[in-house]
Amino acid sequence: SVDSRDDHVVLEVDTPEGVPASGVLDRLAIHDGPDARAWTSYVEKITEVFACLLDAKTVGVRLVVSDGPHCPGIHVDQGVARGVVTVIGAGTEWLDDAPLDRSRLGHAGGPGGDEVSGLVRDWGQLRRAVSGELAVFKGAAWPGAAGRSVVHRSPPADGVRRVVLTLDWLD
């Protein structure tokens, strides 16, 4: 299935034996560009790596293009696992448990957001994924991860357009 909006496209991709179903990811191709096949091959390889790591039979693939943070608030994903590859722009930010007060998750809606919510005890421990590398985050539905899933966010806006590929373990 395909869901397409102005800032992103979502595909559900069957990955039998870890290999993306043929042709499905072609919908993300840069149709008028000379590197269309190279881009599709890149997305196929990342999807294959993610599927093989998790033994996923179906992967949700989303391509997001945005001028600002797509998910600016610190949060946990509710699914089993999410893969994130920042293709262009600053990488996704995450925190280990030590500098967090998880009881404050979801309390950043007021003025100042996450920065004043009390969620983060030590902003100096904020980490950032490297652009071009696949980061895999355990979600809340990961077996045994209740209260231990990865806390992350999109980086603050820096004036650079971000292109991000996310992968969700669906089955």
Side-chain angles (χ1 to χ4, degrees):
S1 68
V2 178
D3 175 19
S4 181
R5 297 196 177 107
D6 288 342
D7 67 343
H8 69 274
V9 175
V10 179
L11 300 173
E12 190 171 303
V13 181
D14 291 326
T15 52
E17 299 178 22
V19 179
S22 179
V24 176
L25 292 169
D26 288 344
R27 296 178 186 154
L28 298 179
I30 306 162
H31 294 290
D32 57 352
D35 297 326
R37 186 65 206 137
W39 167 251
T40 303
S41 294
Y42 174 76
V43 175
E44 286 172 352
K45 182 50 80 179
I46 290 170
T47 304
E48 181 179 346
V49 167
F50 181 78
C52 286
L53 279 171
L54 300 169
D55 195 26
K57 305 297 181 244
T58 307
V59 174
V61 179
R62 177 174 56 170
L63 179 65
V64 178
V65 178
S66 69
D67 289 324
H70 186 68
C71 295
I74 294 177
H75 65 282
V76 297
D77 294 321
Q78 297 305 307
V80 179
R82 171 159 295 158
V84 180
V85 177
T86 303
V87 181
I88 297 173
T92 300
E93 298 176 338
W94 84 94
L95 286 155
D96 292 324
D97 274 338
L100 289 175
D101 177 355
R102 282 185 180 266
S103 71
R104 305 297 304 161
L105 271 169
H107 292 270
D114 288 325
E115 282 70 18
V116 298
S117 69
L119 170 64
V120 179
R121 294 182 189 122
D122 182 358
W123 284 95
Q125 292 190 39
L126 186 69
R127 299 172 73 186
R128 183 174 281 177
V130 176
S131 290
E133 291 184 0
L134 174 62
V136 180
F137 300 138
K138 289 182 187 177
W142 184 278
R148 295 182 30 212
S149 48
V150 177
V151 177
H152 62 282
R153 72 174 184 180
S154 297
D158 61 3
V160 176
R161 175 167 282 180
R162 283 182 86 222
V163 176
V164 179
L165 188 65
T166 66
L167 304 119
D168 290 303
W169 183 7
L170 302 178
D171 179 33

mmCIF file of all heavy atoms in Angstrom, residues 9-33:
data_model
loop_
_atom_site.group_PDB
_atom_site.id
_atom_site.type_symbol
_atom_site.label_atom_id
_atom_site.label_comp_id
_atom_site.label_asym_id
_atom_site.label_seq_id
_atom_site.Cartn_x
_atom_site.Cartn_y
_atom_site.Cartn_z
ATOM 1 N N VAL A 9 6.211 10.064 1.729
ATOM 2 C CA VAL A 9 5.592 8.935 1.054
ATOM 3 C C VAL A 9 5.834 7.714 1.925
ATOM 4 O O VAL A 9 6.938 7.514 2.428
ATOM 5 C CB VAL A 9 6.228 8.695 -0.345
ATOM 6 C CG1 VAL A 9 5.655 7.443 -0.992
ATOM 7 C CG2 VAL A 9 6.044 9.901 -1.236
ATOM 8 N N VAL A 10 4.789 6.905 2.136
ATOM 9 C CA VAL A 10 4.904 5.699 2.956
ATOM 10 C C VAL A 10 4.537 4.489 2.099
ATOM 11 O O VAL A 10 3.511 4.487 1.431
ATOM 12 C CB VAL A 10 3.947 5.757 4.176
ATOM 13 C CG1 VAL A 10 4.066 4.488 5.005
ATOM 14 C CG2 VAL A 10 4.208 6.983 5.022
ATOM 15 N N LEU A 11 5.397 3.474 2.127
ATOM 16 C CA LEU A 11 5.147 2.227 1.413
ATOM 17 C C LEU A 11 5.181 1.060 2.397
ATOM 18 O O LEU A 11 6.004 1.063 3.313
ATOM 19 C CB LEU A 11 6.224 1.977 0.354
ATOM 20 C CG LEU A 11 6.392 3.007 -0.747
ATOM 21 C CD1 LEU A 11 7.616 2.668 -1.576
ATOM 22 C CD2 LEU A 11 5.166 3.057 -1.615
ATOM 23 N N GLU A 12 4.332 0.077 2.184
ATOM 24 C CA GLU A 12 4.408 -1.173 2.933
ATOM 25 C C GLU A 12 5.074 -2.188 2.012
ATOM 26 O O GLU A 12 4.568 -2.476 0.928
ATOM 27 C CB GLU A 12 3.002 -1.637 3.322
ATOM 28 C CG GLU A 12 2.997 -2.778 4.298
ATOM 29 C CD GLU A 12 1.609 -3.074 4.825
ATOM 30 O OE1 GLU A 12 0.978 -2.159 5.386
ATOM 31 O OE2 GLU A 12 1.166 -4.226 4.653
ATOM 32 N N VAL A 13 6.234 -2.704 2.429
ATOM 33 C CA VAL A 13 7.065 -3.531 1.557
ATOM 34 C C VAL A 13 7.208 -4.933 2.131
ATOM 35 O O VAL A 13 7.690 -5.104 3.252
ATOM 36 C CB VAL A 13 8.470 -2.899 1.401
ATOM 37 C CG1 VAL A 13 9.338 -3.730 0.471
ATOM 38 C CG2 VAL A 13 8.363 -1.462 0.909
ATOM 39 N N ASP A 14 6.772 -5.931 1.379
ATOM 40 C CA ASP A 14 7.010 -7.315 1.795
ATOM 41 C C ASP A 14 8.483 -7.623 1.599
ATOM 42 O O ASP A 14 9.085 -7.248 0.589
ATOM 43 C CB ASP A 14 6.158 -8.286 0.969
ATOM 44 C CG ASP A 14 4.675 -8.166 1.293
ATOM 45 O OD1 ASP A 14 4.348 -7.888 2.470
ATOM 46 O OD2 ASP A 14 3.856 -8.332 0.381
ATOM 47 N N THR A 15 9.075 -8.302 2.602
ATOM 48 C CA THR A 15 10.506 -8.614 2.562
ATOM 49 C C THR A 15 10.720 -10.103 2.825
ATOM 50 O O THR A 15 11.346 -10.482 3.814
ATOM 51 C CB THR A 15 11.282 -7.765 3.588
ATOM 52 O OG1 THR A 15 10.661 -7.913 4.867
ATOM 53 C CG2 THR A 15 11.290 -6.305 3.198
ATOM 54 N N PRO A 16 10.209 -10.964 1.937
ATOM 55 C CA PRO A 16 10.425 -12.399 2.148
ATOM 56 C C PRO A 16 11.917 -12.711 2.136
ATOM 57 O O PRO A 16 12.642 -12.214 1.279
ATOM 58 C CB PRO A 16 9.690 -13.061 0.995
ATOM 59 C CG PRO A 16 9.553 -12.001 -0.049
ATOM 60 C CD PRO A 16 9.535 -10.682 0.683
ATOM 61 N N GLU A 17 12.361 -13.467 3.120
ATOM 62 C CA GLU A 17 13.772 -13.825 3.268
ATOM 63 C C GLU A 17 14.663 -12.586 3.317
ATOM 64 O O GLU A 17 15.818 -12.607 2.891
ATOM 65 C CB GLU A 17 14.198 -14.790 2.156
ATOM 66 C CG GLU A 17 13.418 -16.095 2.186
ATOM 67 C CD GLU A 17 13.802 -17.042 1.070
ATOM 68 O OE1 GLU A 17 14.905 -16.931 0.518
ATOM 69 O OE2 GLU A 17 12.973 -17.911 0.761
ATOM 70 N N GLY A 18 14.109 -11.465 3.814
ATOM 71 C CA GLY A 18 14.878 -10.249 3.994
ATOM 72 C C GLY A 18 15.035 -9.391 2.761
ATOM 73 O O GLY A 18 15.569 -8.295 2.831
ATOM 74 N N VAL A 19 14.561 -9.830 1.623
ATOM 75 C CA VAL A 19 14.748 -9.102 0.368
ATOM 76 C C VAL A 19 13.462 -8.366 0.014
ATOM 77 O O VAL A 19 12.401 -8.976 -0.049
ATOM 78 C CB VAL A 19 15.141 -10.064 -0.774
ATOM 79 C CG1 VAL A 19 15.299 -9.311 -2.084
ATOM 80 C CG2 VAL A 19 16.414 -10.812 -0.413
ATOM 81 N N PRO A 20 13.540 -7.034 -0.206
ATOM 82 C CA PRO A 20 12.339 -6.276 -0.569
ATOM 83 C C PRO A 20 11.701 -6.813 -1.839
ATOM 84 O O PRO A 20 12.404 -7.181 -2.786
ATOM 85 C CB PRO A 20 12.842 -4.850 -0.788
ATOM 86 C CG PRO A 20 14.142 -4.784 -0.071
ATOM 87 C CD PRO A 20 14.715 -6.174 -0.116
ATOM 88 N N ALA A 21 10.365 -6.886 -1.849
ATOM 89 C CA ALA A 21 9.642 -7.339 -3.028
ATOM 90 C C ALA A 21 10.043 -6.483 -4.232
ATOM 91 O O ALA A 21 10.156 -5.265 -4.130
ATOM 92 C CB ALA A 21 8.144 -7.258 -2.779
ATOM 93 N N SER A 22 10.254 -7.118 -5.338
ATOM 94 C CA SER A 22 10.758 -6.471 -6.543
ATOM 95 C C SER A 22 9.837 -5.340 -7.015
ATOM 96 O O SER A 22 8.625 -5.506 -7.108
ATOM 97 C CB SER A 22 10.888 -7.509 -7.653
ATOM 98 O OG SER A 22 11.349 -6.908 -8.833
ATOM 99 N N GLY A 23 10.443 -4.195 -7.282
ATOM 100 C CA GLY A 23 9.737 -3.085 -7.895
ATOM 101 C C GLY A 23 8.963 -2.168 -6.967
ATOM 102 O O GLY A 23 8.610 -1.062 -7.352
ATOM 103 N N VAL A 24 8.668 -2.600 -5.739
ATOM 104 C CA VAL A 24 7.846 -1.789 -4.849
ATOM 105 C C VAL A 24 8.520 -0.465 -4.522
ATOM 106 O O VAL A 24 7.891 0.593 -4.535
ATOM 107 C CB VAL A 24 7.501 -2.555 -3.550
ATOM 108 C CG1 VAL A 24 6.737 -1.676 -2.581
ATOM 109 C CG2 VAL A 24 6.714 -3.812 -3.871
ATOM 110 N N LEU A 25 9.815 -0.496 -4.236
ATOM 111 C CA LEU A 25 10.523 0.725 -3.850
ATOM 112 C C LEU A 25 10.801 1.653 -5.033
ATOM 113 O O LEU A 25 11.240 2.782 -4.839
ATOM 114 C CB LEU A 25 11.810 0.378 -3.106
ATOM 115 C CG LEU A 25 11.556 -0.247 -1.725
ATOM 116 C CD1 LEU A 25 12.841 -0.823 -1.148
ATOM 117 C CD2 LEU A 25 10.928 0.747 -0.776
ATOM 118 N N ASP A 26 10.500 1.206 -6.247
ATOM 119 C CA ASP A 26 10.655 2.070 -7.415
ATOM 120 C C ASP A 26 9.776 3.308 -7.303
ATOM 121 O O ASP A 26 10.046 4.326 -7.924
ATOM 122 C CB ASP A 26 10.322 1.321 -8.707
ATOM 123 C CG ASP A 26 11.372 0.295 -9.078
ATOM 124 O OD1 ASP A 26 12.495 0.369 -8.524
ATOM 125 O OD2 ASP A 26 11.073 -0.591 -9.898
ATOM 126 N N ARG A 27 8.718 3.239 -6.472
ATOM 127 C CA ARG A 27 7.835 4.391 -6.282
ATOM 128 C C ARG A 27 8.550 5.552 -5.594
ATOM 129 O O ARG A 27 8.051 6.661 -5.588
ATOM 130 C CB ARG A 27 6.602 3.983 -5.492
ATOM 131 C CG ARG A 27 5.749 2.985 -6.223
ATOM 132 C CD ARG A 27 4.569 2.573 -5.391
ATOM 133 N NE ARG A 27 3.857 1.508 -6.063
ATOM 134 C CZ ARG A 27 3.118 0.622 -5.447
ATOM 135 N NH1 ARG A 27 2.986 0.666 -4.142
ATOM 136 N NH2 ARG A 27 2.506 -0.314 -6.117
ATOM 137 N N LEU A 28 9.702 5.271 -4.987
ATOM 138 C CA LEU A 28 10.486 6.324 -4.343
ATOM 139 C C LEU A 28 11.585 6.857 -5.260
ATOM 140 O O LEU A 28 12.363 7.700 -4.864
ATOM 141 C CB LEU A 28 11.137 5.797 -3.058
ATOM 142 C CG LEU A 28 10.188 5.326 -1.961
ATOM 143 C CD1 LEU A 28 10.982 4.817 -0.772
ATOM 144 C CD2 LEU A 28 9.246 6.431 -1.546
ATOM 145 N N ALA A 29 11.623 6.369 -6.486
ATOM 146 C CA ALA A 29 12.685 6.753 -7.421
ATOM 147 C C ALA A 29 12.587 8.218 -7.796
ATOM 148 O O ALA A 29 11.523 8.819 -7.770
ATOM 149 C CB ALA A 29 12.619 5.897 -8.686
ATOM 150 N N ILE A 30 13.725 8.775 -8.148
ATOM 151 C CA ILE A 30 13.808 10.126 -8.676
ATOM 152 C C ILE A 30 13.609 9.960 -10.182
ATOM 153 O O ILE A 30 14.560 9.769 -10.927
ATOM 154 C CB ILE A 30 15.165 10.754 -8.338
ATOM 155 C CG1 ILE A 30 15.401 10.659 -6.837
ATOM 156 C CG2 ILE A 30 15.232 12.191 -8.833
ATOM 157 C CD1 ILE A 30 16.848 10.838 -6.440
ATOM 158 N N HIS A 31 12.360 9.972 -10.621
ATOM 159 C CA HIS A 31 12.012 9.552 -11.977
ATOM 160 C C HIS A 31 12.679 10.340 -13.091
ATOM 161 O O HIS A 31 12.974 9.789 -14.131
ATOM 162 C CB HIS A 31 10.489 9.573 -12.168
ATOM 163 C CG HIS A 31 9.805 8.553 -11.331
ATOM 164 N ND1 HIS A 31 9.906 7.204 -11.570
ATOM 165 C CD2 HIS A 31 9.045 8.674 -10.225
ATOM 166 C CE1 HIS A 31 9.229 6.536 -10.657
ATOM 167 N NE2 HIS A 31 8.693 7.411 -9.822
ATOM 168 N N ASP A 32 12.934 11.622 -12.864
ATOM 169 C CA ASP A 32 13.513 12.396 -13.951
ATOM 170 C C ASP A 32 15.019 12.608 -13.787
ATOM 171 O O ASP A 32 15.627 13.317 -14.552
ATOM 172 C CB ASP A 32 12.810 13.751 -14.080
ATOM 173 C CG ASP A 32 12.863 14.552 -12.790
ATOM 174 O OD1 ASP A 32 13.305 14.013 -11.758
ATOM 175 O OD2 ASP A 32 12.441 15.722 -12.810
ATOM 176 N N GLY A 33 15.604 11.962 -12.790
ATOM 177 C CA GLY A 33 17.033 12.149 -12.549
ATOM 178 C C GLY A 33 17.863 11.024 -13.126
ATOM 179 O O GLY A 33 17.402 9.892 -13.274
#
